[in-house]
């Protein structure tokens, strides 16, 4: 009943936003910045022209939402929420799907990190560098393969932009937040060497101490440090250097980028008896080549070539204390992830009424992980009161066994105009080969006599994933579009879902993969309606996504309602069953007042339901949200305020607790007088009500609330060019 009430509230708000179509006759177009979606292979279409639901953040809107992590930056986008592991980790959750099902792109090429291997792993992206962030909601496997089964997030910088002026340009921003002594900044330099060659470089950083929160850190905690999120301090640096040459034939750019981060996993520290704290250090060095060639071959108008090579390394450190004194600090788990990838897109000349792109993609990934101290069995004294413990035997000194992954892909996307709008069809084939390494003998034994082991030798595995989609945009009138799409896409299981067998210290889980997992198959139907002209605008999407053989983490019940543990970590299995996701998302804007003090009112919300075909709830599904806000300004000032209610999530999975709802109040203010000549001073307020909110999407929700009230102030600047 409670779920039905939440859905009714959101549907009522969405339907109330729909205007009478007769109003479109007199609707006056509004001035909307011309933004192209660079993650779209055709390369020259705006979000309004795409069948796939797309949100593009850029300019002032991006500056207002920009935060320390990509998940926090995007959490106000309908259909997208944040799954954090403290302020150092923020990963987007798109329509209930997260991890390796949401493809993260850095200037159009996949990021290389281990964020898909654990909820505590940060995404190797610096939001402070972004000039534009594109979010494609719903399956985008036709464009970017199985890792885009939930959606795509493309973070676009200006590094490979062929447009530049004839004078040096300096731009960036610096900000300070009093909560956690949070210091963030990015500065970039564009130096035209000739009319055809430009050098670009940028440097970004973030430093903060432990953040303030409202009350105790853990649910049920009654003693210890209050109003502080312990072990939440972070330190992040990013750097890039890019050279780009352009001419009449097109352009070519070569770049190097580096990223380093060190952050704590929040946990209560009392300074009594035996305690642990975890920290994660991650870094990568990356090389990129981007090129676009005009008229490369007869019958083709554009060729885009994208290459990248990344060396990624991550270590999870565990510090052991006794009565508050440090006794030992060890590297509990380490990851190496080296990847080389290439992508070719060929946009062909029109064939009759059809225009489109054919493409090919390849990737080679060499992954390794190692652990210390995870293979020793518990003594009997370590058993809990319910007998819900297990023993590990052998030497599984890793979290996921070493493996290599080779992926070869081909795709085709075609569209044609019609009398009523436009049609689009796409297809893709992915050939995925996984080669796991051999390991020593190991197994895990449960108190009831059951045991699980993974073979020392596993053969090579090959998955052929085929995807196809079709859709249309119908021009109802000059102001309204109706979008319909149907897709069937396949996704190969990830290496961690197949080969995991070990303790993951930071997430406090003992994860067990299944080498016999099959492909996931997504059948997604979507209908959308938007109004893109006039004083009143809206965008509403309703979707239904059926997943055959969906892979999810399932906890083990010891028979008393408690989770079975091994080595102090909750045992979770990678299971497979049919599932379904469905929901609604919408956003509206009404220019209520025009003139010297304009006023635009906004309403937005979303709801997603994730459940197994038998009716059981899936874990960590985003709760419903509903928000209102307004934008205004006067002369050199702009101001906006937003209120959002996050509903209680009571559709919890087995062994998962409900999560209470909470309210978020925020504002953005900026002052950009002529005397600053390209600069503006900004002030931002977040969680002004100082709520003790818990994110249901996070593994760590019971031990890590959202950070408390904070005010950040700073300056943005853009000089020269």
């Amino acid at each position: 009943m409670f779920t039905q009430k939440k859905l009714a509230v959101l549907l009522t708000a969405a339907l109330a936003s729909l205007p009478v179509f007769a109003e479109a006759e007199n609707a006056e177009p509004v001035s909307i910045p011309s933004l192209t979606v660079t993650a779209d292979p055709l390369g020259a279409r705006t979000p309004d022209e795409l069948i796939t639901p797309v949100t593009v953040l850029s300019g002032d809107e991006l500056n207002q939402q920009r935060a320390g992590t990509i998940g926090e930056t995007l959490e106000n986008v309908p259909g997208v929420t944040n799954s954090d592991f403290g302020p150092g980790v923020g990963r987007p959750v798109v329509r209930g799907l997260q991890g390796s099902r949401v493809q993260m792109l850095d200037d159009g090429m996949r990021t290389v990190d281990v964020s898909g291997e654990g909820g505590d792993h940060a995404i190797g992206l610096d939001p402070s560098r972004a000039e534009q962030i594109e979010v494609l909601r719903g399956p985008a496997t036709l464009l970017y393969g199985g890792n885009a089964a939930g959606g795509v997030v493309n973070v676009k910088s200006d590094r490979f932009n062929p447009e530049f002026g004839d004078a040096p340009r300096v731009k960036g921003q610096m900000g300070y937040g009093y909560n956690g002594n949070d210091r963030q900044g990015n500065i970039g330099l564009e130096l035209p060497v000739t009319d055809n060659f430009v050098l670009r470089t940028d440097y970004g950083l973030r430093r903060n101490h432990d953040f303030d929160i409202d009350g105790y850190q853990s649910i049920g905690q009654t003693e210890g440090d209050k109003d502080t999120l312990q072990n939440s301090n972070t330190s992040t640096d990013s750097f890039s250097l890019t050279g780009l040459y352009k001419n009449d034939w097109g352009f070519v750019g070569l770049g190097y980028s580096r990223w380093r981060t060190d952050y704590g996993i929040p946990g209560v520290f009392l300074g009594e008896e035996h305690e642990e704290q975890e920290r994660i250090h991650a870094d990568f060095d990356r090389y990129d080549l981007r090129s676009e060639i005009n008229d490369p071959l007869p019958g083709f108008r554009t060729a885009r070539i994208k290459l990248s090579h990344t060396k990624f390394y991550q270590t999870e450190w565990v510090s052991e204390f006794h009565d508050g004194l440090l006794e030992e600090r060890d590297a509990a788990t380490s990851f190496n992830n080296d990847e080389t990838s290439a992508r070719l897109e060929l946009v062909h000349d029109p064939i009759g009424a059809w225009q489109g792109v054919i493409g090919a993609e390849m990737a080679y990934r060499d992954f390794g992980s190692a652990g210390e101290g995870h293979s020793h069995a518990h003594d009997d004294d370590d058993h809990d009161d319910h007998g819900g413990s297990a023993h590990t035997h052998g030497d599984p000194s890793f979290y996921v066994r070493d493996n290599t992954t080779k992926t070869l892909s081909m795709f085709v996307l075609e569209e044609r105009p019609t009398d009523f709008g436009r049609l689009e069809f796409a297809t893709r084939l992915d050939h995925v080969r996984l080669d796991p390494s051999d390991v020593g003998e190991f197994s895990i034994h449960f108190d009831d006599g059951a045991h699980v082991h993974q073979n020392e030798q596993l053969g090579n595995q090959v998955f052929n994933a085929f995807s196809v989609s079709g859709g249309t945009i119908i021009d109802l009138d000059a102001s309204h579009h109706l979008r319909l799409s149907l897709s069937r896409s396949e996704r190969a299981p990830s290496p961690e879902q197949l080969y995991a067998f070990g303790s993951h210290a930071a997430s406090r889980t003992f994860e067990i993969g299944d080498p016999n997992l099959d492909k996931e198959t997504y059948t997604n139907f979507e209908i959308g309606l938007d109004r893109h002209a006039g004083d009143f605008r809206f965008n509403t999407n309703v979707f239904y996504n059926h997943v055959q053989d969906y892979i999810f983490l399932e906890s083990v019940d010891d028979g008393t309602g408690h989770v079975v543990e091994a080595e102090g970590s909750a045992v979770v299995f990678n299971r497979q069953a049919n599932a379904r996701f469905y929901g609604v998302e919408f956003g509206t804007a009404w220019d209520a007042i025009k003139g010297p003090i304009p006023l635009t009112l906004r309403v937005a919300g979303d709801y997603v339901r994730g459940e197994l075909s038998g009716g059981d709830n899936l874990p960590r599904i985003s709760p419903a949200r509903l928000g209102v806000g307004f934008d205004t300004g006067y002369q050199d000032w702009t101001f906006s305020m937003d209120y959002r209610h996050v509903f209680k999530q009571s559709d919890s999975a087995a062994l998962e607790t409900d999560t209470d709802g909470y309210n978020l109040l925020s504002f953005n203010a900026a002052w950009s007088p002529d005397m600053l000549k390209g600069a503006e001073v900004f002030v931002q307020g977040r969680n002004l009500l100082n709520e003790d909110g818990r994110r249901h999407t996070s593994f760590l929700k019971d031990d890590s609330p959202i950070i408390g009230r904070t005010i950040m102030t700073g300056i943005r600047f853009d000089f020269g060019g």
Side-chain angles (χ1 to χ4, degrees), residues 688-718:
L688 298 178
L689 303 177
N690 204 34
E691 289 274 88
D692 176 26
R694 309 277 170 164
R695 289 191 172 98
H696 190 79
T697 52
S698 173
F699 277 94
L700 207 63
K701 66 170 181 129
D702 290 345
D703 297 315
S704 179
I706 62 175
I707 65 174
R709 181 186 300 111
T710 186
I711 305 293
M712 174 166 283
T713 185
I715 186 170
R716 305 184 185 102
F717 51 89
D718 190 346

mmCIF file of all heavy atoms in Angstrom, residues 688-718:
data_model
loop_
_atom_site.group_PDB
_atom_site.id
_atom_site.type_symbol
_atom_site.label_atom_id
_atom_site.label_comp_id
_atom_site.label_asym_id
_atom_site.label_seq_id
_atom_site.Cartn_x
_atom_site.Cartn_y
_atom_site.Cartn_z
ATOM 1 N N LEU A 688 20.683 21.865 4.024
ATOM 2 C CA LEU A 688 20.509 22.976 4.952
ATOM 3 C C LEU A 688 19.717 22.584 6.191
ATOM 4 O O LEU A 688 19.827 23.234 7.234
ATOM 5 C CB LEU A 688 19.807 24.136 4.233
ATOM 6 C CG LEU A 688 20.562 24.731 3.037
ATOM 7 C CD1 LEU A 688 19.741 25.831 2.390
ATOM 8 C CD2 LEU A 688 21.926 25.251 3.459
ATOM 9 N N LEU A 689 18.914 21.529 6.098
ATOM 10 C CA LEU A 689 18.143 21.058 7.250
ATOM 11 C C LEU A 689 18.964 20.133 8.155
ATOM 12 O O LEU A 689 18.458 19.676 9.180
ATOM 13 C CB LEU A 689 16.881 20.334 6.774
ATOM 14 C CG LEU A 689 15.931 21.150 5.875
ATOM 15 C CD1 LEU A 689 14.759 20.293 5.428
ATOM 16 C CD2 LEU A 689 15.455 22.396 6.596
ATOM 17 N N ASN A 690 20.200 19.857 7.748
ATOM 18 C CA ASN A 690 21.099 19.010 8.543
ATOM 19 C C ASN A 690 20.472 17.649 8.843
ATOM 20 O O ASN A 690 20.484 17.166 9.978
ATOM 21 C CB ASN A 690 21.497 19.709 9.843
ATOM 22 C CG ASN A 690 22.810 19.186 10.403
ATOM 23 O OD1 ASN A 690 23.705 18.815 9.650
ATOM 24 N ND2 ASN A 690 22.916 19.166 11.720
ATOM 25 N N GLU A 691 19.972 17.008 7.798
ATOM 26 C CA GLU A 691 19.291 15.726 7.950
ATOM 27 C C GLU A 691 20.286 14.579 8.130
ATOM 28 O O GLU A 691 21.397 14.594 7.588
ATOM 29 C CB GLU A 691 18.437 15.455 6.709
ATOM 30 C CG GLU A 691 17.209 16.340 6.594
ATOM 31 C CD GLU A 691 16.032 15.774 7.343
ATOM 32 O OE1 GLU A 691 15.927 16.074 8.548
ATOM 33 O OE2 GLU A 691 15.230 15.038 6.759
ATOM 34 N N ASP A 692 19.846 13.584 8.883
ATOM 35 C CA ASP A 692 20.605 12.346 9.049
ATOM 36 C C ASP A 692 20.079 11.339 8.024
ATOM 37 O O ASP A 692 19.405 10.367 8.355
ATOM 38 C CB ASP A 692 20.441 11.818 10.470
ATOM 39 C CG ASP A 692 21.140 10.479 10.674
ATOM 40 O OD1 ASP A 692 22.115 10.208 9.952
ATOM 41 O OD2 ASP A 692 20.695 9.693 11.534
ATOM 42 N N GLY A 693 20.381 11.597 6.736
ATOM 43 C CA GLY A 693 19.864 10.752 5.665
ATOM 44 C C GLY A 693 20.750 9.551 5.401
ATOM 45 O O GLY A 693 21.977 9.615 5.511
ATOM 46 N N ARG A 694 20.123 8.452 5.035
ATOM 47 C CA ARG A 694 20.835 7.228 4.688
ATOM 48 C C ARG A 694 20.451 6.835 3.262
ATOM 49 O O ARG A 694 19.276 6.811 2.915
ATOM 50 C CB ARG A 694 20.473 6.093 5.645
ATOM 51 C CG ARG A 694 20.591 6.450 7.121
ATOM 52 C CD ARG A 694 22.006 6.310 7.633
ATOM 53 N NE ARG A 694 22.170 6.860 8.980
ATOM 54 C CZ ARG A 694 23.214 6.588 9.761
ATOM 55 N NH1 ARG A 694 24.161 5.776 9.337
ATOM 56 N NH2 ARG A 694 23.311 7.151 10.959
ATOM 57 N N ARG A 695 21.451 6.522 2.449
ATOM 58 C CA ARG A 695 21.187 6.136 1.065
ATOM 59 C C ARG A 695 20.961 4.635 0.989
ATOM 60 O O ARG A 695 21.858 3.849 1.280
ATOM 61 C CB ARG A 695 22.352 6.554 0.167
ATOM 62 C CG ARG A 695 22.446 8.063 -0.038
ATOM 63 C CD ARG A 695 23.444 8.387 -1.146
ATOM 64 N NE ARG A 695 23.402 9.802 -1.473
ATOM 65 C CZ ARG A 695 24.244 10.721 -1.018
ATOM 66 N NH1 ARG A 695 25.210 10.345 -0.187
ATOM 67 N NH2 ARG A 695 24.149 11.982 -1.371
ATOM 68 N N HIS A 696 19.769 4.238 0.553
ATOM 69 C CA HIS A 696 19.427 2.825 0.478
ATOM 70 C C HIS A 696 20.290 2.098 -0.549
ATOM 71 O O HIS A 696 20.452 0.870 -0.477
ATOM 72 C CB HIS A 696 17.948 2.663 0.124
ATOM 73 C CG HIS A 696 17.442 1.260 0.264
ATOM 74 N ND1 HIS A 696 17.102 0.711 1.484
ATOM 75 C CD2 HIS A 696 17.233 0.285 -0.653
ATOM 76 C CE1 HIS A 696 16.705 -0.540 1.305
ATOM 77 N NE2 HIS A 696 16.775 -0.817 0.016
ATOM 78 N N THR A 697 20.845 2.826 -1.506
ATOM 79 C CA THR A 697 21.650 2.217 -2.561
ATOM 80 C C THR A 697 23.042 1.820 -2.097
ATOM 81 O O THR A 697 23.775 1.159 -2.834
ATOM 82 C CB THR A 697 21.793 3.198 -3.738
ATOM 83 O OG1 THR A 697 22.262 4.463 -3.229
ATOM 84 C CG2 THR A 697 20.452 3.408 -4.428
ATOM 85 N N SER A 698 23.436 2.206 -0.896
ATOM 86 C CA SER A 698 24.800 1.991 -0.430
ATOM 87 C C SER A 698 24.917 0.759 0.453
ATOM 88 O O SER A 698 24.058 0.500 1.303
ATOM 89 C CB SER A 698 25.276 3.225 0.350
ATOM 90 O OG SER A 698 26.541 2.987 0.942
ATOM 91 N N PHE A 699 26.000 0.003 0.276
ATOM 92 C CA PHE A 699 26.309 -1.110 1.177
ATOM 93 C C PHE A 699 26.545 -0.609 2.599
ATOM 94 O O PHE A 699 26.391 -1.345 3.561
ATOM 95 C CB PHE A 699 27.573 -1.835 0.690
ATOM 96 C CG PHE A 699 27.346 -2.846 -0.392
ATOM 97 C CD1 PHE A 699 27.479 -2.497 -1.720
ATOM 98 C CD2 PHE A 699 27.010 -4.152 -0.090
ATOM 99 C CE1 PHE A 699 27.284 -3.423 -2.727
ATOM 100 C CE2 PHE A 699 26.810 -5.091 -1.084
ATOM 101 C CZ PHE A 699 26.944 -4.724 -2.413
ATOM 102 N N LEU A 700 26.941 0.645 2.741
ATOM 103 C CA LEU A 700 27.419 1.179 4.009
ATOM 104 C C LEU A 700 26.401 2.114 4.662
ATOM 105 O O LEU A 700 26.761 2.922 5.502
ATOM 106 C CB LEU A 700 28.738 1.930 3.767
ATOM 107 C CG LEU A 700 29.728 2.021 4.934
ATOM 108 C CD1 LEU A 700 30.203 0.641 5.324
ATOM 109 C CD2 LEU A 700 30.908 2.896 4.549
ATOM 110 N N LYS A 701 25.134 1.998 4.279
ATOM 111 C CA LYS A 701 24.152 2.992 4.725
ATOM 112 C C LYS A 701 24.002 3.030 6.241
ATOM 113 O O LYS A 701 23.794 4.104 6.812
ATOM 114 C CB LYS A 701 22.790 2.711 4.086
ATOM 115 C CG LYS A 701 22.136 1.411 4.524
ATOM 116 C CD LYS A 701 20.706 1.316 4.045
ATOM 117 C CE LYS A 701 20.078 0.015 4.527
ATOM 118 N NZ LYS A 701 18.820 0.194 5.192
ATOM 119 N N ASP A 702 24.127 1.904 6.922
ATOM 120 C CA ASP A 702 23.940 1.886 8.370
ATOM 121 C C ASP A 702 25.109 2.523 9.113
ATOM 122 O O ASP A 702 24.988 2.902 10.278
ATOM 123 C CB ASP A 702 23.747 0.457 8.873
ATOM 124 C CG ASP A 702 22.410 -0.125 8.447
ATOM 125 O OD1 ASP A 702 21.529 0.654 8.027
ATOM 126 O OD2 ASP A 702 22.260 -1.359 8.507
ATOM 127 N N ASP A 703 26.261 2.657 8.462
ATOM 128 C CA ASP A 703 27.456 3.186 9.110
ATOM 129 C C ASP A 703 27.929 4.514 8.525
ATOM 130 O O ASP A 703 28.905 5.082 9.017
ATOM 131 C CB ASP A 703 28.607 2.180 9.003
ATOM 132 C CG ASP A 703 28.300 0.880 9.723
ATOM 133 O OD1 ASP A 703 27.806 0.945 10.861
ATOM 134 O OD2 ASP A 703 28.534 -0.189 9.143
ATOM 135 N N SER A 704 27.255 5.008 7.478
ATOM 136 C CA SER A 704 27.728 6.221 6.822
ATOM 137 C C SER A 704 26.550 7.032 6.300
ATOM 138 O O SER A 704 26.073 6.799 5.192
ATOM 139 C CB SER A 704 28.677 5.864 5.670
ATOM 140 O OG SER A 704 29.113 7.030 5.011
ATOM 141 N N PRO A 705 26.059 8.003 7.072
ATOM 142 C CA PRO A 705 24.978 8.868 6.594
ATOM 143 C C PRO A 705 25.515 9.909 5.616
ATOM 144 O O PRO A 705 26.732 10.043 5.421
ATOM 145 C CB PRO A 705 24.482 9.525 7.878
ATOM 146 C CG PRO A 705 25.700 9.595 8.742
ATOM 147 C CD PRO A 705 26.486 8.347 8.435
ATOM 148 N N ILE A 706 24.605 10.656 4.994
ATOM 149 C CA ILE A 706 25.031 11.771 4.157
ATOM 150 C C ILE A 706 25.687 12.827 5.044
ATOM 151 O O ILE A 706 25.428 12.891 6.250
ATOM 152 C CB ILE A 706 23.844 12.379 3.389
ATOM 153 C CG1 ILE A 706 22.802 12.947 4.368
ATOM 154 C CG2 ILE A 706 23.209 11.348 2.472
ATOM 155 C CD1 ILE A 706 21.657 13.676 3.698
ATOM 156 N N ILE A 707 26.565 13.639 4.459
ATOM 157 C CA ILE A 707 27.225 14.661 5.274
ATOM 158 C C ILE A 707 26.220 15.738 5.666
ATOM 159 O O ILE A 707 25.207 15.953 4.997
ATOM 160 C CB ILE A 707 28.434 15.272 4.544
ATOM 161 C CG1 ILE A 707 28.007 16.047 3.295
ATOM 162 C CG2 ILE A 707 29.441 14.204 4.194
ATOM 163 C CD1 ILE A 707 29.150 16.777 2.646
ATOM 164 N N GLY A 708 26.488 16.412 6.768
ATOM 165 C CA GLY A 708 25.556 17.397 7.306
ATOM 166 C C GLY A 708 25.579 18.717 6.558
ATOM 167 O O GLY A 708 26.133 18.837 5.454
ATOM 168 N N ARG A 709 24.990 19.694 7.173
ATOM 169 C CA ARG A 709 24.857 21.019 6.557
ATOM 170 C C ARG A 709 26.217 21.570 6.143
ATOM 171 O O ARG A 709 27.190 21.489 6.890
ATOM 172 C CB ARG A 709 24.191 21.982 7.527
ATOM 173 C CG ARG A 709 23.969 23.382 6.982
ATOM 174 C CD ARG A 709 23.445 24.317 8.050
ATOM 175 N NE ARG A 709 22.169 23.846 8.598
ATOM 176 C CZ ARG A 709 22.026 23.388 9.822
ATOM 177 N NH1 ARG A 709 23.080 23.329 10.643
ATOM 178 N NH2 ARG A 709 20.845 22.976 10.245
ATOM 179 N N THR A 710 26.288 22.113 4.934
ATOM 180 C CA THR A 710 27.540 22.717 4.481
ATOM 181 C C THR A 710 27.252 23.894 3.572
ATOM 182 O O THR A 710 26.257 23.907 2.841
ATOM 183 C CB THR A 710 28.407 21.680 3.737
ATOM 184 O OG1 THR A 710 29.685 22.260 3.437
ATOM 185 C CG2 THR A 710 27.754 21.237 2.440
ATOM 186 N N ILE A 711 28.119 24.877 3.647
ATOM 187 C CA ILE A 711 28.098 26.043 2.771
ATOM 188 C C ILE A 711 29.449 26.103 2.077
ATOM 189 O O ILE A 711 30.488 26.084 2.733
ATOM 190 C CB ILE A 711 27.855 27.357 3.545
ATOM 191 C CG1 ILE A 711 26.570 27.283 4.374
ATOM 192 C CG2 ILE A 711 27.812 28.538 2.586
ATOM 193 C CD1 ILE A 711 25.306 27.214 3.564
ATOM 194 N N MET A 712 29.430 26.163 0.764
ATOM 195 C CA MET A 712 30.668 26.296 0.001
ATOM 196 C C MET A 712 30.643 27.608 -0.759
ATOM 197 O O MET A 712 29.624 27.972 -1.373
ATOM 198 C CB MET A 712 30.853 25.131 -0.967
ATOM 199 C CG MET A 712 32.071 25.309 -1.887
ATOM 200 S SD MET A 712 32.568 23.818 -2.753
ATOM 201 C CE MET A 712 33.410 22.926 -1.436
ATOM 202 N N THR A 713 31.743 28.324 -0.759
ATOM 203 C CA THR A 713 31.872 29.578 -1.493
ATOM 204 C C THR A 713 33.163 29.544 -2.290
ATOM 205 O O THR A 713 34.119 28.847 -1.939
ATOM 206 C CB THR A 713 31.855 30.789 -0.545
ATOM 207 O OG1 THR A 713 31.873 32.006 -1.304
ATOM 208 C CG2 THR A 713 33.053 30.774 0.384
ATOM 209 N N GLY A 714 33.181 30.285 -3.380
ATOM 210 C CA GLY A 714 34.370 30.280 -4.210
ATOM 211 C C GLY A 714 34.217 31.188 -5.409
ATOM 212 O O GLY A 714 33.310 32.035 -5.476
ATOM 213 N N ILE A 715 35.097 31.000 -6.384
ATOM 214 C CA ILE A 715 35.108 31.829 -7.577
ATOM 215 C C ILE A 715 35.331 30.954 -8.797
ATOM 216 O O ILE A 715 36.091 29.988 -8.765
ATOM 217 C CB ILE A 715 36.202 32.924 -7.483
ATOM 218 C CG1 ILE A 715 36.107 33.877 -8.677
ATOM 219 C CG2 ILE A 715 37.591 32.315 -7.358
ATOM 220 C CD1 ILE A 715 36.976 35.101 -8.535
ATOM 221 N N ARG A 716 34.612 31.272 -9.882
ATOM 222 C CA ARG A 716 34.818 30.654 -11.188
ATOM 223 C C ARG A 716 35.345 31.720 -12.133
ATOM 224 O O ARG A 716 34.958 32.884 -12.034
ATOM 225 C CB ARG A 716 33.513 30.070 -11.737
ATOM 226 C CG ARG A 716 32.823 29.089 -10.812
ATOM 227 C CD ARG A 716 31.596 28.479 -11.481
ATOM 228 N NE ARG A 716 30.857 27.633 -10.550
ATOM 229 C CZ ARG A 716 29.740 27.996 -9.931
ATOM 230 N NH1 ARG A 716 29.235 29.218 -10.149
ATOM 231 N NH2 ARG A 716 29.136 27.189 -9.098
ATOM 232 N N PHE A 717 36.193 31.324 -13.066
ATOM 233 C CA PHE A 717 36.786 32.325 -13.945
ATOM 234 C C PHE A 717 37.064 31.727 -15.317
ATOM 235 O O PHE A 717 37.274 30.517 -15.464
ATOM 236 C CB PHE A 717 38.083 32.876 -13.331
ATOM 237 C CG PHE A 717 39.058 31.818 -12.899
ATOM 238 C CD1 PHE A 717 40.013 31.310 -13.768
ATOM 239 C CD2 PHE A 717 39.002 31.315 -11.598
ATOM 240 C CE1 PHE A 717 40.890 30.334 -13.366
ATOM 241 C CE2 PHE A 717 39.894 30.334 -11.186
ATOM 242 C CZ PHE A 717 40.842 29.834 -12.078
ATOM 243 N N ASP A 718 37.055 32.571 -16.319
ATOM 244 C CA ASP A 718 37.338 32.195 -17.707
ATOM 245 C C ASP A 718 37.876 33.436 -18.403
ATOM 246 O O ASP A 718 37.121 34.320 -18.818
ATOM 247 C CB ASP A 718 36.071 31.676 -18.392
ATOM 248 C CG ASP A 718 36.362 31.047 -19.751
ATOM 249 O OD1 ASP A 718 37.472 31.253 -20.271
ATOM 250 O OD2 ASP A 718 35.479 30.363 -20.294
#
